[in-house]
């Protein structure tokens, strides 16, 4: 929608007349009128509250409350984009406002709690509307009140000059207040951060608005771009015409996994390992791998666990776009691309792309032929089984490695404690506060522990290293 214009809505003229008449009644009533204070074009402003019929209100099609969930039903989403004020579009928005962000086919328990609260106590907080009846704040409350067959809604009224940009700014400012009752879903928050960045706001400004840090904003932007790229890569033409792809809402519920991916990606030893890790984790996320298991998917997961189970022929990288480029006398060979990503990353990406497309087809099952549906199901089942087995093996390898290094790491911590004890002894001695008897008892305990360690560590070792040799000599006379 044009950020500078709000198109006429059905019956908007009559609604404006009614709203203006009620605002005038409030002005004439005297006393202290009820108001709602919001940030309006950079200035705190009070707007008067009036009571309006619920039947005259329209859900905001641009609300971030359900922005990602709009794509749940592509047919209704298209109708919503074409005519957001039609009865069908408004009913679709009503349904989405009731639903769980990660599963729009199920009712959100928080919505039921809101309905119960409104039923028992009524509408405590006023919403906000435009003069033509578009809801700026209070979309979910309006849906709940309608389900309860209530007739009226209390709302503050914005000026007639309000634009879509104003509406978005007011909604965001209210959502980020500390007294907010219901957070945006994870993906809808990412959308809000992206849109505000596109509007020219810096990470520092957004960090202040979202009550977080600039680093967290930069992470959210990275994740948004990561998801958007995955959606584009999943786009697939269907045999019966049209296209399908993954949706933003398909990544709801993966906040911790995506945040961990961002950390791991930027901590990777080099770009090649980072990109390979990115591809392998994306594949695992799309398949719904548990967040406690995704951490075992590393940069080598493709070669170590997927290829042995699925074979290289499962998916092959496409030929480089710059294939025709050549230099006289220079033969790069088939496996030596001129520049770009590592072969390992390209092979992992080919696997991931096939899974992305199969997952997108599965989401559009009603538009597939029986053969297409069966092929997508087979691909996903094969890869999911391979990933589950691979994760199990990788977890076992990780635990074994930790057990192998556990003793050494514990001794490193013990060495730090001995150094700390040395400093404490020095301080006590300088102040004539040394407790010699207690120290002597502790040293005997240490000697006994070192003797046991020497005995255990020496088993089966024919040629001890310098560290173990020192320990053997140190405890020989104990």
């Amino acid at each position: 929608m044009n950020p500078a214009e709000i198109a006429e809505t059905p019956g908007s003229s009559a609604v404006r007349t009614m709203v203006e008449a009620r605002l005038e009644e409030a002005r004439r009533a005297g006393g202290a009128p009820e108001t709602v204070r919001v940030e309006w074009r950079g200035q705190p402003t009070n707007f008067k509250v009036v009571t309006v019929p619920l039947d005259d209100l329209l859900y905001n099609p641009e609300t971030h409350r359900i922005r990602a969930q709009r794509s749940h039903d592509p047919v209704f989403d298209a109708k919503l984009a074409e005519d957001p004020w039609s009865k069908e579009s408004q009913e679709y928005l009503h349904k989405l406002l009731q639903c769980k962000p990660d599963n729009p086919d199920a009712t959100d328990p928080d919505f039921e709690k809101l309905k119960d609260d409104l039923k028992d106590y009524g509408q405590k907080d006023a919403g906000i509307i435009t003069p033509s009846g578009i809801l700026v704040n209070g979309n979910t409350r309006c849906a709940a009140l309608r389900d309860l067959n209530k007739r009226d809604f209390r709302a503050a009224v914005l000026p007639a000059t309000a634009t879509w940009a104003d509406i978005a700014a007011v909604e965001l400012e209210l959502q980020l207040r500390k007294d907010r009752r219901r957070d945006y879903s994870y993906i809808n928050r990412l959308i809000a951060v992206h849109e505000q960045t596109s509007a020219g706001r810096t990470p520092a400004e957004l960090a202040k608005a979202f009550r977080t840090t600039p680093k967290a904003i930069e992470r959210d932007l990275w994740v948004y771009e990561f998801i958007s790229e995955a959606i584009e890569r999943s786009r697939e033409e269907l045999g019966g015409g049209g296209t399908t792809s993954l949706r933003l809402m398909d990544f709801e519920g993966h906040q911790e996994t995506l945040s961990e991916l961002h950390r791991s990606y930027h901590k990777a030893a080099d770009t090649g390992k980072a990109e390979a890790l990115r591809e392998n984790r994306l594949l695992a996320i799309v398949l719904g791998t548990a967040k406690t298991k995704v951490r075992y998917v590393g940069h080598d997961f493709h070669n170590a666990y997927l290829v042995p189970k699925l074979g290289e022929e499962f998916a092959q990288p496409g030929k480089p776009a710059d294939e025709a480029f050549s230099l006289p006398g220079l033969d790069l060979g088939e496996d030596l691309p001129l520049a770009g990503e590592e072969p390992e990353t390209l092979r992992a990406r080919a696997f991931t792309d096939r899974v992305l497309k199969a997952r997108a087809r599965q989401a559009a099952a009603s538009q597939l032929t029986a053969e297409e549906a069966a092929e997508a199901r087979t691909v996903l089942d094969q890869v999911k089984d391979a990933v589950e087995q691979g994760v199990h093996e990788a977890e076992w390898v990780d635990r074994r490695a930790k057990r192998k290094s556990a003793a050494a790491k514990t001794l490193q911590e013990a060495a730090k404690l001995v150094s700390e004890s040395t400093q404490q002894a020095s301080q006590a001695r300088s102040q004539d506060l040394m407790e010699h008897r207690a120290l002597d008892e502790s040293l005997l305990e240490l000697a006994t522990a070192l003797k046991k360690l020497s005995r255990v560590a020496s088993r089966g070792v024919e040629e001890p290293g310098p560290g173990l040799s020192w320990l053997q000599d140190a405890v020989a006379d104990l």
Side-chain angles (χ1 to χ4, degrees), residues 67 70-82 92:
R67 179 70 65 83
R70 280 181 43 168
S71 61
H72 174 61
D73 187 318
V75 175
F76 277 104
D77 191 27
K79 292 180 179 180
L80 187 58
E82 181 180 350
Y92 182 52

Side-chain angles (χ1 to χ4, degrees), residues 451 472-478:
K451 191 170 184 177
Q472 290 171 341
D473 294 340
V475 302
D477 297 330
L478 295 179

Side-chain angles (χ1 to χ4, degrees), residues 305-327:
Y305 303 107
L306 295 185
V307 172
K309 293 176 175 60
L310 298 172
E312 286 281 7
E313 65 277 3
F314 177 81
Q316 293 290 332
K319 293 183 178 180
D322 54 358
E323 181 184 29
F325 180 84
S326 64
L327 290 174

Side-chain angles (χ1 to χ4, degrees), residues 52-64:
V52 294
L54 277 167
D55 289 344
D56 289 338
L57 300 180
L58 293 166
Y59 297 122
N60 175 11
E62 296 298 303
T63 177
H64 286 94

Side-chain angles (χ1 to χ4, degrees), residues 115-150:
K115 277 178 59 177
D116 290 342
D117 184 80
L118 289 169
K119 181 179 180 180
D120 293 339
Y121 305 106
Q123 183 189 356
K124 292 179 287 187
D125 301 315
I128 299 178
I129 62 172
T130 67
S132 59
I134 300 172
L135 285 153
V136 177
N137 176 256
N139 285 271
T140 310
R141 275 173 286 165
C142 179
L145 288 167
R146 282 173 170 166
D147 280 2
L148 293 170
N149 295 314
K150 300 297 182 182

